[in-house]
Structure formats: C-alpha cells, structure tokens
Amino acid sequence: MTDIVDQQTRSRMMAGIKGKNTRPELSLRRALHARGFRYRLHSSKVHGRPDLVLPKHHAVVFVHGCFWHRHEGCRYATTPATRAEFWQAKFGANVARDSAVRGALLATGWRVATIWECALRKPEQVSVATDRLSAWLLTEANTLELGEREVSAPTREGQDVSSSS
C-alpha cells in the first residue's frame, strides 16, 4: 500500500514529532515540581540524556512513548501495517538502545525510573504516577517502571493507591 501523502509532506510530519518537552513529560515535571522535587532536564552529563535527573536522589527518570519505545502489552504500542521490516528494525534498535542505556546507568550507580506515556494520559493517572514516583525517590530501590496498569489498578475501598505495590 502506498502512502496517502507525498514524501516531502511525510518527512515534514515525521520531523514534527518531538523528543523533548512532550505533553506527558511536561505534566510529570509540573507534578513533581509541585511536590518539591528539583531536577535537571536532559542533562548531557548523564549517559543517555534522561528526561529528568534528580542528583539529590541519585536517580534519573525516562518518560517513554509507548509507540516508539514499545511498551510491552500496551494498546498504544501498535505496529504500522506498511513497511513492516523497516518498523521492526527501528523499534528493535530503540529497545536495544533503551536497554543498553538503562544497564549503563545502573552499572554506574544511578537509580532508573521509566514512566510510560500511557500512565500520564489523564490528570488522575498523573497524580497517582507522581505519588508512586515520589515514594520511590525516597527509597533505595534501584528501578521503577510505571505504566497504565500500575496507575489505574482498581483498589479496595479505603486502600491508599500511592502505597500499593
């Protein structure tokens, strides 16, 4: 199947996809800042240029898009029907790079959190994700991964969502 737009238009559309300051990233940054956390943005001094670097907590936070970084089991991690080989290679390289960066950061003593885009789509999800991230920052755990399942899980009446595991 051929593309419905010409090559120049497609190129312009793809160039418009942002890698920094995305809507999910901005909403998480606002919520973390409101809770008193201070951070550096996209620091070139830290391997992999994480979205947020919290030196005080020796932690980094990546806000990953479910489509580009292939959030396993997520409804937003669809694969385009056209040029399947190209997309599989592209996604495979992204996942391999993410894994290498995560491993390198952990090996050098950084704590790594990955917050998926699907966990930051609604204001109540942002709040729960920020609560869970805030609690993790105050612990000594090395890793944290939050997706839609972790922030939207049904709770029993009276149960505190932010403290559930």
Side-chain angles (χ1 to χ4, degrees):
M1 181 175 188
T2 59
D3 201 349
I4 59 172
V5 296
D6 61 274
Q7 189 174 7
Q8 287 178 324
T9 304
R10 176 63 60 203
S11 179
R12 183 175 41 78
M13 290 166 67
M14 294 302 283
I17 297 172
K18 298 191 306 183
K20 294 181 184 175
N21 303 320
T22 60
R23 186 175 298 141
E25 184 183 329
L26 291 173
S27 63
L28 181 65
R29 282 170 25 189
R30 271 192 295 276
L32 269 180
H33 193 272
R35 285 170 175 77
F37 289 95
R38 300 301 178 254
Y39 44 80
R40 300 280 176 255
L41 299 176
H42 314 288
S43 176
S44 60
K45 295 177 182 177
V46 180
H47 183 69
R49 294 187 66 126
D51 297 312
L52 304 174
V53 178
L54 295 104
K56 178 180 176 180
H57 303 282
H58 209 62
V60 298
V61 179
F62 289 98
V63 180
H64 280 336
C66 298
F67 176 78
W68 293 107
H69 296 271
R70 309 315 291 165
H71 185 198
E72 193 173 323
C74 181
R75 61 183 157 163
Y76 302 111
T78 59
T79 302
T82 58
R83 300 181 60 206
E85 304 83 32
F86 165 81
W87 287 109
Q88 289 302 339
K90 174 119 179 108
F91 295 146
N94 287 352
V95 170
R97 184 180 61 249
D98 291 343
S99 179
V101 165
R102 181 184 179 100
L105 288 168
L106 289 169
T108 56
W110 285 98
R111 300 167 54 218
V112 181
T114 304
I115 313 299
W116 292 96
E117 165 192 25
C118 61
L120 302 171
R121 288 191 167 259
K122 298 176 183 170
E124 60 273 8
Q125 289 177 317
V126 172
S127 180
V128 171
T130 307
D131 289 344
R132 301 267 317 264
L133 179 59
S134 299
W136 175 79
L137 286 169
L138 301 174
T139 68
E140 306 237 346
N142 282 335
T143 62
L144 174 72
E145 186 167 321
L146 294 176
E148 185 175 35
R149 287 177 294 235
E150 290 81 16
V151 298
S152 299
T155 59
R156 294 185 303 271
E157 191 172 319
Q159 181 181 357
D160 181 14
V161 174
S162 64
S163 64
S164 64
S165 295

